[in-house]
Amino acid sequence: MASLLEQIETEAVALFPKRSSILVAVSGGLDSMALLFALNQVVSRNRWQLTVAHFNHKLRGYASNADQRLVESFAEQHKINHISGAWSKDSKAIKEHGLEMAAREARYDFLKTEAQVRRCKFLATAHHADDHVETVLMNLFRGSGRLTGIRRESKIVSNGVSIELLRPLLSVWRSDIDS
């Protein structure tokens, strides 16, 4: 059986064409750090140009700042381009959508903007199999009538520019990442 690293690498190579510019969304959590590590292992073989993007929601005080430092330190040590952004809480958006959704929208706005600025046609996120199952269950309990989860590939259109949102960890369980 393939190791976790080999599994992630295989998925990534199947998703991202050679010579791609990829913006990698990295929170500093174990799943996104595993994704970044795996992509970085095969970057030269595939001639990818990676850029790490970290968005600090500033919701967990010291822990949020520690995550940002971890991501920036990893990127610097491995000579990977990186960018960090921070959230200025939008009380109107929080009131309208709730804290979690407002934070998510701010993060994706940041990622879309940075992908465009850096001419990255691909955005990689570390959504994994547990996230997929959770999304299916949430849709079921909400009564949405859709038993769909997270797609491995989707598009984000921002200012007329299409960005491919790809999730190489979608077949990986969180427990496998933890072990």
Side-chain angles (χ1 to χ4, degrees):
M1 183 163 163
S3 73
L4 175 62
L5 186 58
E6 291 169 330
Q7 182 181 355
I8 296 170
E9 290 172 354
T10 299
E11 294 285 336
V13 167
L15 286 171
F16 300 105
K18 287 192 183 292
R19 301 176 196 257
S20 297
S21 293
I22 306 167
L23 187 71
V24 186
V26 181
S27 67
L30 186 57
D31 47 358
S32 63
M33 292 300 292
L35 173 62
L36 177 58
F37 182 84
L39 292 178
N40 194 49
Q41 293 297 300
V42 294
V43 71
S44 61
R45 236 183 320 201
N46 292 283
R47 298 185 182 154
W48 293 331
Q49 177 63 50
L50 299 182
T51 300
V52 176
H54 175 78
F55 189 74
N56 187 339
H57 293 97
K58 298 193 174 282
L59 294 174
R60 298 178 299 116
Y62 175 79
S64 292
N65 295 332
D67 286 345
Q68 182 173 339
R69 286 192 302 275
L70 172 68
V71 172
E72 291 171 348
S73 175
F74 183 92
E76 288 168 8
Q77 287 176 351
H78 292 88
K79 297 179 176 42
I80 305 171
N81 296 327
H82 65 283
I83 183 72
S84 293
W87 190 30
S88 298
K89 291 182 192 141
D90 181 347
S91 56
K92 181 180 175 187
I94 293 170
K95 186 176 181 180
E96 185 175 335
H97 302 289
L99 179 65
E100 188 174 327
M101 183 56 76
R104 180 181 184 275
E105 287 178 9
R107 179 177 65 249
Y108 273 96
D109 286 346
F110 166 76
L111 293 170
K112 289 186 292 189
T113 299
E114 293 305 326
Q116 286 181 292
V117 166
R118 284 153 178 59
R119 293 189 170 100
C120 294
K121 293 182 180 180
F122 300 95
L123 171 59
T125 66
H127 291 101
H128 45 74
D130 297 60
D131 296 322
H132 174 72
V133 169
E134 180 182 320
T135 302
V136 169
L137 291 173
M138 284 175 37
N139 286 338
L140 176 67
F141 292 135
R142 285 184 187 143
S144 72
R146 296 177 42 209
L147 287 180
T148 59
I150 300 171
R151 290 189 283 171
R152 183 174 311 287
E153 303 176 44
S154 56
K155 287 191 188 303
I156 300 173
V157 178
S158 178
N159 298 325
V161 176
S162 181
I163 302 162
E164 295 283 333
L165 177 55
L166 304 176
R167 299 174 178 97
L169 299 185
L170 214 50
S171 63
V172 175
W173 295 99
R174 176 63 197 229
S175 59
D176 294 331
I177 297 169
D178 289 342
S179 58

